[in-house]
Amino acid sequence: VQLQASGGGLVQAGGSLTISCVESGQIASSHAIGWFRQAPGKEREFVATVNWKGDSTIYADSVKGRFTISRDKAKNTVYLQMNSLKPEDTAVYYCGYDWFADTAPGGREVSDYDYWGQGTQVTVSS
């Protein structure tokens, strides 16, 4: 399994940005994708996750109501739409593949994920 994250960039506070994670390789018929982020000097933290069908999601409290995770199965792509961005959202965003999620969303821990993309930088200026 390979994951390719893209779409990061520089945006002003209050703005919006959508990042993508494209899956390729031997993708299991049931798995979950999660988005995590890592700011300089901090540990990687959970942001959001979506299940295989795309009908069940979980969000971190810090992004709930501002971010939306979605999946386009035909394109093997998971999106993270980020609205009302804040400077504290600045980080490298990573997508992860939870092989054992079955039909549920993925876990909230880094250790729950088996594969990772390379990350995409999101910078929010004040």
Side-chain angles (χ1 to χ4, degrees), residues 67-124:
F67 290 11
T68 302
I69 188 171
S70 61
R71 178 194 282 277
D72 184 334
K73 291 175 63 178
K75 295 183 178 180
N76 288 335
T77 301
V78 174
Y79 303 97
L80 185 69
Q81 181 180 348
M82 304 179 289
N83 298 326
S84 301
L85 282 162
K86 305 174 182 180
E88 50 263 45
D89 294 319
T90 295
V92 177
Y93 283 70
Y94 297 90
C95 53
Y97 182 104
D98 184 342
W99 189 284
F100 298 102
D102 195 16
T103 59
R108 293 174 175 260
E109 303 296 328
V110 171
S111 58
D112 292 326
Y113 294 81
D114 307 283
Y115 302 97
W116 292 94
Q118 85 290 358
T120 186
Q121 176 71 49
V122 173
T123 303
V124 184

Coordinates of all heavy atoms in Angstrom, one line a residue, residues 67-124:
F67 N -13.3 21.0 10.2 CA -12.7 20.1 9.2 C -13.8 19.1 8.8 O -14.6 18.6 9.7 CB -11.5 19.4 9.8 CG -10.3 20.3 10.0 CD1 -10.4 21.7 9.9 CD2 -9.1 19.8 10.2 CE1 -9.3 22.5 10.1 CE2 -7.9 20.5 10.4 CZ -8.0 21.9 10.3
T68 N -13.7 18.6 7.6 CA -14.5 17.5 7.1 C -13.7 16.5 6.3 O -13.0 16.9 5.4 CB -15.6 18.0 6.2 OG1 -16.4 19.0 6.9 CG2 -16.5 16.9 5.7
I69 N -13.7 15.3 6.7 CA -13.0 14.2 6.1 C -14.1 13.5 5.2 O -15.2 13.2 5.6 CB -12.3 13.2 7.0 CG1 -11.5 12.2 6.3 CG2 -13.3 12.5 7.9 CD1 -10.6 11.4 7.2
S70 N -13.6 13.1 4.0 CA -14.5 12.4 3.1 C -13.7 11.5 2.2 O -12.5 11.6 2.1 CB -15.3 13.4 2.2 OG -14.5 14.2 1.4
R71 N -14.4 10.5 1.5 CA -13.7 9.6 0.7 C -14.4 9.4 -0.6 O -15.7 9.4 -0.7 CB -13.8 8.2 1.4 CG -13.1 7.1 0.7 CD -13.5 5.7 1.3 NE -12.7 5.4 2.5 CZ -11.5 4.9 2.6 NH1 -10.9 4.6 1.5 NH2 -11.0 4.7 3.7
D72 N -13.6 9.4 -1.7 CA -14.1 9.1 -3.0 C -13.5 7.7 -3.4 O -12.4 7.6 -3.8 CB -13.7 10.1 -4.0 CG -14.3 9.9 -5.4 OD1 -14.6 8.7 -5.8 OD2 -14.4 10.9 -6.2
K73 N -14.3 6.6 -3.2 CA -13.8 5.3 -3.5 C -13.4 5.1 -4.9 O -12.5 4.3 -5.2 CB -14.9 4.3 -3.0 CG -15.1 4.2 -1.5 CD -16.3 3.3 -1.1 CE -16.0 1.9 -1.5 NZ -17.1 1.0 -1.0
A74 N -14.1 5.7 -5.8 CA -13.8 5.5 -7.2 C -12.4 6.0 -7.6 O -11.8 5.5 -8.5 CB -14.9 6.2 -8.1
K75 N -12.0 7.0 -6.8 CA -10.7 7.6 -7.1 C -9.7 7.2 -6.1 O -8.5 7.6 -6.1 CB -10.8 9.2 -7.1 CG -11.7 9.7 -8.2 CD -11.7 11.3 -8.1 CE -12.5 11.8 -9.2 NZ -12.5 13.3 -9.2
N76 N -10.1 6.3 -5.2 CA -9.1 5.9 -4.1 C -8.5 7.0 -3.4 O -7.3 7.1 -3.1 CB -8.0 4.9 -4.6 CG -8.6 3.6 -5.0 OD1 -9.6 3.1 -4.5 ND2 -7.9 2.9 -6.0
T77 N -9.3 8.0 -3.1 CA -8.8 9.3 -2.5 C -9.7 9.7 -1.3 O -10.9 9.6 -1.3 CB -8.9 10.4 -3.6 OG1 -8.1 10.0 -4.7 CG2 -8.3 11.7 -3.0
V78 N -8.9 10.1 -0.3 CA -9.6 10.7 0.9 C -9.2 12.1 1.0 O -8.0 12.5 0.8 CB -9.1 9.9 2.2 CG1 -9.6 10.6 3.4 CG2 -9.6 8.5 2.1
Y79 N -10.2 13.0 1.3 CA -10.0 14.4 1.4 C -10.1 14.9 2.8 O -10.9 14.3 3.6 CB -11.0 15.1 0.5 CG -11.0 14.7 -0.9 CD1 -11.9 13.7 -1.4 CD2 -10.1 15.2 -1.9 CE1 -11.9 13.3 -2.7 CE2 -10.1 14.9 -3.2 CZ -11.0 13.9 -3.6 OH -11.0 13.5 -4.9
L80 N -9.4 16.0 3.1 CA -9.6 16.7 4.3 C -9.9 18.1 4.0 O -9.0 18.9 3.6 CB -8.5 16.5 5.3 CG -8.7 17.2 6.7 CD1 -9.7 16.4 7.5 CD2 -7.3 17.2 7.4
Q81 N -11.1 18.5 4.1 CA -11.5 19.9 3.8 C -11.4 20.7 5.2 O -12.0 20.3 6.2 CB -12.9 20.1 3.3 CG -13.3 21.5 3.0 CD -14.8 21.6 2.5 OE1 -15.4 20.6 2.1 NE2 -15.3 22.8 2.5
M82 N -10.6 21.7 5.1 CA -10.3 22.5 6.3 C -10.8 23.9 6.2 O -10.3 24.7 5.3 CB -8.8 22.5 6.6 CG -8.2 21.1 6.7 SD -6.4 21.1 7.0 CE -5.8 21.6 5.4
N83 N -11.7 24.3 7.0 CA -12.3 25.7 7.0 C -11.9 26.4 8.3 O -11.5 25.8 9.3 CB -13.8 25.6 6.8 CG -14.2 24.9 5.6 OD1 -13.6 25.1 4.5 ND2 -15.4 24.2 5.6
S84 N -12.1 27.7 8.3 CA -11.8 28.5 9.4 C -10.5 28.2 10.0 O -10.3 28.0 11.3 CB -12.9 28.3 10.5 OG -14.2 28.7 9.9
L85 N -9.5 28.1 9.2 CA -8.2 27.7 9.7 C -7.6 28.7 10.6 O -7.8 30.0 10.5 CB -7.2 27.6 8.5 CG -7.4 26.2 7.7 CD1 -6.9 26.3 6.3 CD2 -6.8 25.1 8.5
K86 N -6.8 28.2 11.6 CA -6.2 29.0 12.6 C -4.6 28.8 12.5 O -4.2 27.7 12.1 CB -6.6 28.6 14.0 CG -8.1 28.6 14.2 CD -8.5 28.0 15.5 CE -10.0 28.0 15.7 NZ -10.4 27.4 17.0
P87 N -3.9 29.7 13.0 CA -2.4 29.5 13.0 C -2.0 28.3 13.7 O -1.0 27.6 13.3 CB -1.9 30.8 13.7 CG -2.9 31.8 13.5 CD -4.2 31.1 13.5
E88 N -2.7 27.8 14.7 CA -2.4 26.6 15.4 C -2.6 25.3 14.6 O -2.3 24.2 15.0 CB -3.1 26.5 16.8 CG -4.6 26.8 16.7 CD -4.9 28.2 17.1 OE1 -4.3 29.1 16.6 OE2 -5.9 28.4 17.8
D89 N -3.3 25.5 13.5 CA -3.4 24.3 12.6 C -2.2 24.1 11.7 O -2.1 23.1 11.0 CB -4.6 24.6 11.6 CG -6.0 24.6 12.4 OD1 -6.2 23.8 13.3 OD2 -6.8 25.5 12.0
T90 N -1.2 25.0 11.8 CA 0.0 24.8 11.0 C 0.7 23.6 11.4 O 1.0 23.4 12.6 CB 0.9 26.1 11.2 OG1 0.3 27.2 10.7 CG2 2.3 25.9 10.6
A91 N 1.0 22.7 10.4 CA 1.7 21.5 10.7 C 1.9 20.7 9.4 O 1.4 21.1 8.3 CB 0.8 20.6 11.6
V92 N 2.7 19.7 9.5 CA 2.7 18.7 8.4 C 1.6 17.7 8.6 O 1.5 17.1 9.7 CB 4.1 18.0 8.3 CG1 4.1 17.0 7.2 CG2 5.2 19.0 8.1
Y93 N 0.8 17.5 7.6 CA -0.4 16.6 7.7 C 0.0 15.3 7.0 O 0.4 15.3 5.8 CB -1.6 17.3 7.0 CG -2.2 18.3 7.9 CD1 -1.6 19.6 8.2 CD2 -3.4 18.1 8.6 CE1 -2.1 20.5 9.0 CE2 -4.0 19.1 9.4 CZ -3.3 20.3 9.6 OH -3.9 21.2 10.5
Y94 N -0.3 14.2 7.7 CA 0.0 12.9 7.2 C -1.3 12.1 7.1 O -2.2 12.2 8.0 CB 0.9 12.2 8.2 CG 2.3 12.8 8.3 CD1 2.5 13.7 9.3 CD2 3.3 12.4 7.4 CE1 3.8 14.3 9.4 CE2 4.6 13.0 7.6 CZ 4.8 13.9 8.6 OH 6.1 14.5 8.7
C95 N -1.4 11.3 6.1 CA -2.5 10.3 6.1 C -2.0 8.9 6.4 O -0.8 8.6 6.0 CB -3.2 10.3 4.7 SG -2.2 10.1 3.2
G96 N -2.8 8.2 7.1 CA -2.4 6.8 7.5 C -3.4 5.8 7.1 O -4.6 6.1 7.0
Y97 N -3.0 4.5 7.0 CA -3.9 3.4 6.6 C -4.0 2.5 7.7 O -3.0 1.9 8.2 CB -3.2 2.8 5.3 CG -3.9 1.7 4.7 CD1 -4.6 1.9 3.5 CD2 -3.9 0.4 5.2 CE1 -5.2 0.8 2.8 CE2 -4.5 -0.7 4.5 CZ -5.1 -0.4 3.3 OH -5.8 -1.5 2.7
D98 N -5.2 2.3 8.2 CA -5.5 1.4 9.3 C -6.0 0.1 8.7 O -7.2 0.0 8.3 CB -6.5 2.0 10.3 CG -6.8 1.1 11.5 OD1 -6.4 -0.1 11.5 OD2 -7.3 1.7 12.5
W99 N -5.2 -0.9 8.6 CA -5.5 -2.2 7.9 C -6.6 -3.0 8.6 O -7.4 -3.6 8.0 CB -4.3 -3.1 7.8 CG -4.4 -4.3 7.0 CD1 -5.0 -5.4 7.3 CD2 -3.9 -4.4 5.7 NE1 -5.0 -6.3 6.2 CE2 -4.2 -5.7 5.2 CE3 -3.1 -3.6 4.8 CZ2 -3.9 -6.2 4.0 CZ3 -2.8 -4.1 3.6 CH2 -3.2 -5.4 3.2
F100 N -6.6 -2.9 10.0 CA -7.5 -3.7 10.7 C -8.8 -3.0 11.2 O -9.5 -3.5 12.1 CB -6.8 -4.3 11.9 CG -5.6 -5.2 11.6 CD1 -4.3 -4.7 11.6 CD2 -5.8 -6.4 11.1 CE1 -3.2 -5.4 11.3 CE2 -4.7 -7.2 10.7 CZ -3.4 -6.7 10.8
A101 N -9.1 -1.9 10.6 CA -10.3 -1.2 11.0 C -11.6 -1.9 10.6 O -12.7 -1.6 11.2 CB -10.3 0.2 10.4
D102 N -11.6 -2.8 9.7 CA -12.8 -3.5 9.2 C -13.7 -2.4 8.6 O -13.4 -1.6 7.8 CB -13.4 -4.3 10.3 CG -14.4 -5.3 9.7 OD1 -14.4 -5.6 8.5 OD2 -15.2 -5.9 10.5
T103 N -14.9 -2.4 9.2 CA -15.9 -1.4 8.6 C -16.0 -0.1 9.5 O -16.8 0.8 9.2 CB -17.3 -2.0 8.6 OG1 -17.7 -2.4 9.9 CG2 -17.3 -3.2 7.6
A104 N -15.2 0.0 10.5 CA -15.2 1.1 11.4 C -14.2 2.2 11.0 O -13.3 1.9 10.2 CB -14.9 0.6 12.8
P105 N -14.4 3.4 11.5 CA -13.3 4.4 11.3 C -12.0 3.9 12.0 O -12.0 2.9 12.8 CB -13.8 5.6 12.0 CG -15.3 5.4 12.1 CD -15.5 3.9 12.3
G106 N -10.9 4.5 11.6 CA -9.6 4.1 12.2 C -9.5 4.6 13.7 O -10.3 5.2 14.2
G107 N -8.3 4.2 14.2 CA -8.0 4.6 15.6 C -7.6 6.0 15.7 O -7.4 6.7 14.7
R108 N -7.3 6.4 17.0 CA -6.9 7.8 17.3 C -5.4 7.8 17.6 O -4.8 8.9 17.8 CB -7.6 8.3 18.5 CG -9.1 8.6 18.3 CD -9.8 9.0 19.5 NE -11.1 9.4 19.4 CZ -11.6 10.6 19.3 NH1 -10.7 11.6 19.3 NH2 -12.9 10.9 19.1
E109 N -4.7 6.6 17.6 CA -3.3 6.5 17.9 C -2.5 6.3 16.7 O -2.9 5.5 15.8 CB -3.1 5.4 18.9 CG -3.9 5.5 20.2 CD -3.6 6.8 21.0 OE1 -2.4 7.2 21.0 OE2 -4.5 7.3 21.7
V110 N -1.3 6.8 16.7 CA -0.3 6.6 15.6 C -0.1 5.1 15.4 O 0.0 4.6 14.3 CB 1.0 7.3 15.8 CG1 2.0 6.9 14.8 CG2 0.8 8.8 15.8
S111 N 0.0 4.4 16.5 CA 0.3 2.9 16.4 C -0.9 2.1 15.8 O -0.7 1.0 15.5 CB 0.6 2.4 17.8 OG -0.5 2.7 18.7
D112 N -2.0 2.7 15.6 CA -3.2 2.0 15.0 C -3.0 1.9 13.5 O -3.7 1.1 12.8 CB -4.5 2.7 15.3 CG -4.9 2.6 16.7 OD1 -4.6 1.6 17.4 OD2 -5.5 3.6 17.2
Y113 N -2.1 2.6 12.9 CA -1.9 2.7 11.5 C -0.7 2.0 11.0 O 0.4 2.0 11.6 CB -1.9 4.2 11.0 CG -3.2 4.8 11.3 CD1 -3.6 5.3 12.6 CD2 -4.2 4.9 10.3 CE1 -4.8 5.8 12.9 CE2 -5.4 5.5 10.6 CZ -5.7 5.9 11.8 OH -7.0 6.4 12.1
D114 N -0.9 1.3 9.8 CA 0.2 0.4 9.3 C 1.0 1.1 8.2 O 2.1 0.6 8.0 CB -0.5 -0.8 8.8 CG -1.4 -1.4 9.8 OD1 -0.9 -2.1 10.7 OD2 -2.7 -1.3 9.7
Y115 N 0.5 2.0 7.5 CA 1.2 2.7 6.4 C 0.9 4.2 6.5 O -0.1 4.6 6.9 CB 0.7 2.2 5.0 CG 0.9 0.7 4.8 CD1 -0.2 -0.2 5.0 CD2 2.1 0.1 4.4 CE1 -0.1 -1.5 4.9 CE2 2.2 -1.2 4.3 CZ 1.1 -2.0 4.5 OH 1.2 -3.4 4.3
W116 N 1.9 4.9 6.0 CA 1.8 6.4 6.1 C 2.3 7.0 4.8 O 3.2 6.5 4.1 CB 2.7 7.0 7.2 CG 2.2 6.6 8.6 CD1 2.7 5.5 9.3 CD2 1.3 7.3 9.4 NE1 2.0 5.5 10.5 CE2 1.1 6.6 10.6 CE3 0.5 8.4 9.2 CZ2 0.3 7.0 11.6 CZ3 -0.4 8.8 10.2 CH2 -0.5 8.1 11.4
G117 N 1.6 8.1 4.4 CA 2.1 8.9 3.3 C 3.2 9.8 3.8 O 3.6 9.8 5.0
Q118 N 3.8 10.6 2.8 CA 4.9 11.4 3.1 C 4.7 12.7 3.8 O 5.6 13.4 4.3 CB 5.7 11.7 1.8 CG 5.3 12.9 1.0 CD 3.9 12.7 0.4 OE1 3.3 11.6 0.5 NE2 3.4 13.7 -0.3
G119 N 3.4 13.1 3.9 CA 3.0 14.4 4.5 C 3.0 15.6 3.5 O 3.6 15.6 2.5
T120 N 2.1 16.5 3.9 CA 2.0 17.7 3.1 C 1.9 18.9 4.1 O 1.2 18.8 5.1 CB 0.8 17.7 2.2 OG1 0.7 18.9 1.4 CG2 -0.5 17.6 2.9
Q121 N 2.7 20.0 3.8 CA 2.8 21.1 4.8 C 1.6 22.0 4.6 O 1.3 22.5 3.5 CB 4.1 21.9 4.5 CG 4.3 23.1 5.3 CD 4.5 22.8 6.8 OE1 5.4 22.0 7.1 NE2 3.8 23.5 7.7
V122 N 1.0 22.4 5.7 CA -0.1 23.4 5.8 C 0.4 24.5 6.7 O 0.7 24.2 7.9 CB -1.4 22.8 6.3 CG1 -2.4 23.9 6.5 CG2 -1.9 21.7 5.3
T123 N 0.4 25.7 6.2 CA 0.9 26.8 7.0 C -0.2 27.9 7.0 O -0.7 28.3 5.9 CB 2.2 27.4 6.4 OG1 3.2 26.4 6.4 CG2 2.6 28.6 7.3
V124 N -0.6 28.3 8.2 CA -1.7 29.3 8.4 C -1.1 30.5 9.0 O -0.5 30.5 10.1 CB -2.8 28.7 9.2 CG1 -4.0 29.8 9.3 CG2 -3.4 27.4 8.7

